[in-house]
Amino acid sequence: MQALLRLAGWIDALNERIGQMAKWLVLICVLISAGNAVIRKAFDTSSNAFLEIQWYLFSAMFLLGAAYTLKHNEHIRIDILLSRLSPRKQAVVDILGTLLFLLPMAIAVLYFSWPVMTQMMTSGETSSDAGGLVRWPVWALIPIGFTLLILQAAAEIIKRLAFLQGLIPNPAEKHTGQIAEVIAQNLDSQPKQENKA
Amino acid sequence: MSPEFMAPLMFASLILFLLIGYPVAFSLSAVGLLFAVIAIELGFMPAALLQALPQQVFDIMRNDTLLAIPFFTFMGLILERSGMAEDMLETIGQLFGRIRGGLAYAVIFVGALLAATTGVVAASVISMGLISLPIMMRYGYDARVASGVIAASGTLAQIIPPSLVLIVLADQLGTSVGDMYAGALVPGLTLVLLYVLYVFIVTVVRPSAAPALPPEARTLREDNGSSGTPSLLALLAVSIVAGVAYDQFHYAATDRPMDERIIVSALIGIAIAFGAAVVNRVTKMGLLSRAAEKVVFVMVPPLMLIFLVLGTIFLGVATPTEGGAMGAAGAIILAMIKGKLNLDLTRQAMNSTLKLTTFVVFILIGARVFRIAFIGVDGDAWVEHLFDSLPGGVVGFLVVVNILVFVLAFFLDFFEIAFIIVPLLAPIAAKLGIDLVWFGVMLGVNMQTSFMHPPFGFALFYLRSVAPKSIKTTDIYWGAIPFVIIQILMVALVIAFPKLVTHALHGPAAESTQTTEEVLQSLPQDTPEQTEGDGGAALMEGSGATLPAGAEPEPDPAAALLEEAGKSP
């Protein structure tokens, strides 16, 4: 179990770092998109590369962010019933859900996207528009993103098993959801007060 | 097992799987995969279909419309911390405070302005809860009235363009975002009026529930104690006259589109007001009252942002997605000017944006997986059959759909309804000859309730978290109910008077020189380089702008795929 936990720790660190980098894509994409609109109007010129890079970055955002979001337990749930269960039962639900719901889909996408990507790489296919970008990097994001997601899923299972054995505190606990975060962000500009959202 | 059983069984499994409480995105795809495998085993569905999974993901990746989700989210988060809402609430609250119900009107007014600036809910509810609610309580507002007004005004962001809800609905219905914006404008403003009307009725029936600010609480005034309102009204009049004069003088002989004339003239008026306020501030001439100067300074940032987002979209300078990016860039600049921008804030905003975008897109991916299998087991025919037996034709369909969505909104998030339920309803609506823009705006108004009805409405949740302890949770719930009723009334109005929405699309304005519709149509020509034929880039399709009632929606990508897969052995 200790070895597995160490592995989970590595995966956590990897996806945390990737998530920290991926979030900058948001800002870069905003600047490119706004800049593109202004330049098109002002100089009456544009390039397909600038249009395509926007959805390349968008794709990178959510594909690289998938594992990170899973790590932070922020894929949205309908927790009307779940929230009434004990933390241990919630952990069991998460383990089974990851095994039966998440992993089959992620593995299927990974399995079927691999040949497409290798084919794109060998053919060097580019966008059909003039000045468009080469396609394989964006296709490569699919297997990369889903591999990271599968790794994180494994880490989540390990952490919850360890929790059930009493080895670590509840991995789901530290994140009460994005709402608490939003509120915390707002409150820190106010005089300090206890916020137990 | 006979194939007729599969679709209902699949739907039942979906509900069951979702209720387990595992993340929606993966529960959806699990149901989809499970039934795809069963259907393939039983021979209902070609096995090649599973291989198309990456293509489904790829379709979502290159969907230019969805790119607006991170843009507007990021904009909302930056704006929330820029202090703009706070400044507006304080100043407008002072301005309206002296009349009965004034603070409530100020909240509605600011809520509507914020809604026109950005497309997300959280920002305004939290600011208003932190700033206006304590003031309202201190001066004797009824807790229910106060919290209801705040929660409801916060949700206006869902329906007043540039709303994220409208973007996502346009994507799912295959209409153009520009059309949805144009169509939602009048219903959105009508809602604002209905809220105002409600507050007015409250002040008449129960004056003590929404009193005016007492004199000692009115701090924004002249040294001699007068309010300074005449000065503000004079400035307003001068600005309007200047704008109209510019319009008459500059556009007299031209046939520029109405949108452009309105937007440019408004800009001129705002520039004059701003210029006057700056001169007044710098020279300390005292031409303007304090109130007038203050109001101009707090109103300019939101108006400029509205211009950056909506103005550029309606002028055809930017696509709705780019409008989001322009707004986000504008919010960054605003926060910078106000000295509120720092690395920490930017990081937090990017972080939340990344996570929100990811979970939303993954719900869509899950919904696509579900949809392939659902079409594979003939689910569409089953859903259509369910609605077949309804009496009342189009109206019957709309009433049932709206009740359905209203009830579902108690349990499902807006995104889940848009991605799971709307694709099921859209083909039926199209077949019945329902204008999909009208349909979309109607659903938008309806789903706005999902943010404010007790006990799961997000707006209420946000409000509870920032409301003073003295306000009971039940007060917040009860306060929201009149607004939920207003919302239902509005849905009924949209059903009864389709013109509220469709006038902007193919209404009587057609004989004037150039209409909104033509401007919207001209958008694609302004951006000829974006013609890659992305399935979701509805705006680029051009055809959406004049979508006549009964036109086929854009082909469902999943359905097209299925057809294709069916052909190949």
Side-chain angles (χ1 to χ4, degrees):
Chain A
M1 200 66 212
Q2 284 306 326
L4 283 177
L5 266 177
R6 206 171 306 131
L7 176 68
W10 287 336
I11 297 173
D12 271 5
L14 171 72
N15 276 323
E16 183 66 29
R17 177 165 292 184
I18 289 177
Q20 293 301 333
M21 288 193 286
K23 69 186 185 190
W24 286 95
L25 297 175
V26 175
L27 184 63
I28 295 170
C29 207
V30 163
L31 297 178
I32 291 179
S33 184
N36 186 49
V38 170
I39 288 170
R40 190 178 58 223
K41 183 70 185 172
F43 304 108
D44 213 12
T45 169
S46 179
S47 107
N48 283 314
F50 272 104
L51 289 172
E52 291 188 5
I53 194 72
Q54 290 176 37
W55 63 262
Y56 276 39
L57 292 173
F58 172 57
S59 309
M61 237 182 262
F62 68 83
L63 286 169
L64 298 180
Y68 177 72
T69 308
L70 182 69
K71 172 175 180 283
H72 288 265
N73 195 12
E74 293 208 15
H75 281 286
I76 206 158
R77 307 163 180 259
I78 296 175
D79 57 358
I80 308 170
L81 300 180
L82 188 75
S83 56
R84 299 191 184 168
L85 299 180
S86 68
R88 292 184 63 86
K89 285 188 180 138
Q90 290 184 10
V92 173
V93 167
D94 275 352
I95 292 170
L96 292 177
T98 310
L99 281 174
L100 301 175
F101 290 5
L102 192 159
L103 284 174
M105 183 273 266
I107 291 171
V109 174
L110 176 62
Y111 178 80
F112 290 119
S113 64
W114 191 261
V116 185
M117 184 201 66
T118 50
Q119 186 225 323
M120 288 274 172
M121 283 179 94
T122 46
S123 72
E125 187 182 320
T126 58
S127 153
S128 53
D129 294 315
L133 301 174
V134 65
R135 277 282 180 266
W136 70 262
V138 73
W139 265 100
L141 284 171
I142 302 180
I144 293 173
F146 278 84
T147 304
L148 292 173
L149 183 63
I150 291 167
L151 285 175
Q152 191 60 44
E156 294 304 314
I157 292 178
I158 293 169
K159 284 188 283 182
R160 278 170 182 72
L161 284 174
F163 164 65
L164 288 178
Q165 292 182 357
L167 296 175
I168 57 168
N170 187 358
E173 192 120 273
K174 54 183 189 273
H175 324 286
T176 37
Q178 75 271 31
I179 295 167
E181 187 183 321
V182 173
I183 293 157
Q185 283 173 18
N186 269 277
L187 287 179
D188 60 18
S189 53
Q190 301 297 115
K192 275 280 167 240
Q193 45 180 283
E194 278 302 312
N195 70 94
K196 286 230 164 68
Chain B
M1 195 191 319
S2 80
E4 297 87 70
F5 271 128
M6 295 280 284
L9 195 63
M10 188 169 173
F11 206 78
S13 313
L14 172 69
I15 295 169
L16 193 71
F17 276 39
L18 287 180
L19 281 178
I20 292 172
Y22 197 68
V24 173
F26 306 119
S27 306
L28 267 167
S29 49
V31 183
L33 270 190
L34 176 67
F35 278 80
V37 170
I38 294 176
I40 289 169
E41 282 300 310
L42 294 178
F44 303 152
M45 231 167 100
L49 217 59
L50 276 183
Q51 285 178 21
L53 276 181
Q55 185 63 43
Q56 291 288 303
V57 178
F58 188 65
D59 275 349
I60 294 170
M61 286 160 68
R62 54 183 234 173
N63 184 329
D64 189 63
T65 310
L66 295 176
L67 187 50
I69 297 175
F71 290 170
F72 278 112
T73 309
F74 185 66
M75 176 186 182
L77 288 167
I78 294 280
L79 213 53
E80 186 182 327
R81 302 286 298 275
S82 71
M84 186 182 87
E86 284 78 355
D87 291 352
M88 278 203 288
L89 283 167
E90 272 158 24
T91 309
I92 308 294
Q94 282 291 323
L95 192 66
F96 290 177
R98 78 185 65 113
I99 56 172
R100 224 191 264 160
L103 284 174
Y105 295 134
V107 163
I108 297 173
F109 181 70
V110 173
L113 262 182
L114 287 174
T117 341
T118 183
V120 286
V121 164
S124 31
V125 174
I126 291 175
S127 314
M128 295 193 285
L130 282 172
I131 296 164
S132 300
L133 193 54
I135 304 178
M136 288 164 114
M137 297 314 293
R138 195 178 318 139
Y139 296 113
Y141 268 65
D142 179 271
R144 293 178 182 182
V145 172
S147 58
V149 166
I150 289 175
S153 303
T155 65
L156 282 172
Q158 292 302 316
I159 193 68
I160 293 180
S163 136
L164 207 52
V165 167
L166 294 175
I167 294 176
V168 170
L169 280 173
D171 178 59
Q172 292 295 307
L173 289 167
T175 59
S176 100
V177 177
D179 274 2
M180 288 291 257
Y181 281 0
L185 213 49
V186 171
L189 295 178
T190 312
L191 265 176
V192 174
L193 285 182
L194 288 175
Y195 290 0
V196 168
L197 192 66
Y198 167 73
V199 172
F200 180 73
I201 292 172
V202 168
T203 58
V204 171
V205 179
R206 287 169 56 214
S208 63
L213 280 183
E216 69 272 15
R218 300 174 197 159
T219 52
L220 187 65
R221 55 167 75 199
E222 299 303 289
D223 291 333
N224 66 14
S226 69
S227 67
T229 314
S231 164
L232 175 64
L233 291 176
L235 182 64
L236 188 66
V238 168
S239 306
I240 290 174
V241 167
V244 172
Y246 177 83
D247 178 64
Q248 293 301 325
F249 176 71
H250 189 260
Y251 288 113
T254 63
D255 57 348
R256 303 300 297 166
M258 205 56 201
D259 297 43
E260 188 184 320
R261 291 172 60 167
I262 294 174
I263 292 169
V264 173
S265 305
L267 270 181
I268 299 283
I270 294 166
I272 287 181
F274 186 61
V278 169
V279 168
N280 191 56
R281 162 80 55 99
V282 172
T283 61
K284 299 202 173 61
M285 271 199 293
L287 280 175
L288 298 173
S289 68
R290 263 180 215 156
E293 186 187 300
K294 192 90 192 283
V295 168
V296 170
F297 278 123
V298 301
M299 289 295 291
V300 164
L303 290 175
M304 286 317 292
L305 284 175
I306 292 172
F307 168 74
L308 266 183
V309 182
L310 287 180
T312 54
I313 294 172
F314 284 121
L315 284 180
V317 175
T319 64
T321 302
E322 287 168 341
M326 301 273 260
I332 293 174
I333 294 170
L334 177 68
M336 222 184 263
I337 294 172
K338 293 182 145 246
K340 297 275 172 93
L341 193 74
N342 55 46
L343 196 60
D344 214 33
L345 163 63
T346 317
R347 278 220 180 98
Q348 277 175 7
M350 291 189 305
N351 198 27
S352 305
T353 306
L354 180 73
K355 288 191 273 198
L356 183 128
T357 307
T358 305
F359 86 63
V360 170
V361 174
F362 268 76
I363 293 175
L364 182 57
I365 293 176
R368 283 283 180 88
V369 177
F370 176 81
R371 183 137 184 83
I372 300 180
F374 196 64
I375 296 176
V377 301
D378 237 0
D380 270 15
W382 172 65
V383 174
E384 207 184 316
H385 179 70
L386 284 184
F387 283 98
D388 262 354
S389 39
L390 281 181
V394 169
V395 174
F397 170 78
L398 291 177
V399 169
V400 170
V401 162
N402 276 299
I403 292 173
L404 178 77
V405 169
F406 182 79
V407 172
L408 282 174
F410 278 93
F411 311 101
L412 295 181
D413 198 37
F414 152 72
F415 288 111
E416 289 144 21
I417 296 179
F419 294 150
I420 305 169
I421 307 298
V422 171
L424 296 178
L425 301 174
I428 307 175
K431 211 172 266 183
L432 283 171
I434 294 168
D435 184 314
L436 289 178
V437 173
W438 178 44
F439 189 60
V441 171
M442 192 187 307
L443 291 182
V445 178
N446 190 333
M447 280 190 234
Q448 203 185 328
T449 57
S450 74
F451 290 88
M452 59 166 117
H453 55 40
F456 302 116
F458 260 57
L460 305 186
F461 206 62
Y462 285 132
L463 187 59
R464 171 69 278 175
S465 60
V466 292
K469 292 252 169 359
S470 61
I471 294 184
K472 288 189 299 239
T473 305
T474 46
D475 286 338
I476 295 180
Y477 288 172
W478 279 108
I481 287 173
F483 291 92
V484 173
I485 294 170
I486 290 177
Q487 226 53 47
I488 296 171
L489 179 70
M490 190 65 218
V491 173
L493 282 175
V494 174
I495 294 179
F497 305 104
K499 276 263 178 287
L500 285 175
V501 177
T502 54
H503 72 98
L505 312 174
H506 30 80
E511 60 270 13
S512 77
T513 51
Q514 195 183 3
T515 62
T516 319
E517 156 193 339
E518 285 164 84
V519 179
L520 289 169
Q521 256 184 325
S522 73
L523 264 179
Q525 277 98 57
D526 285 347
T527 55
E529 61 283 356
Q530 303 199 358
T531 49
E532 209 193 321
D534 292 19
L539 176 79
M540 311 308 161
E541 311 286 1
S543 63
T546 48
L547 198 77
E552 283 294 309
E554 223 178 288
D556 185 316
L561 182 82
L562 196 84
E563 226 163 75
E564 218 167 87
K567 276 180 221 143
S568 60

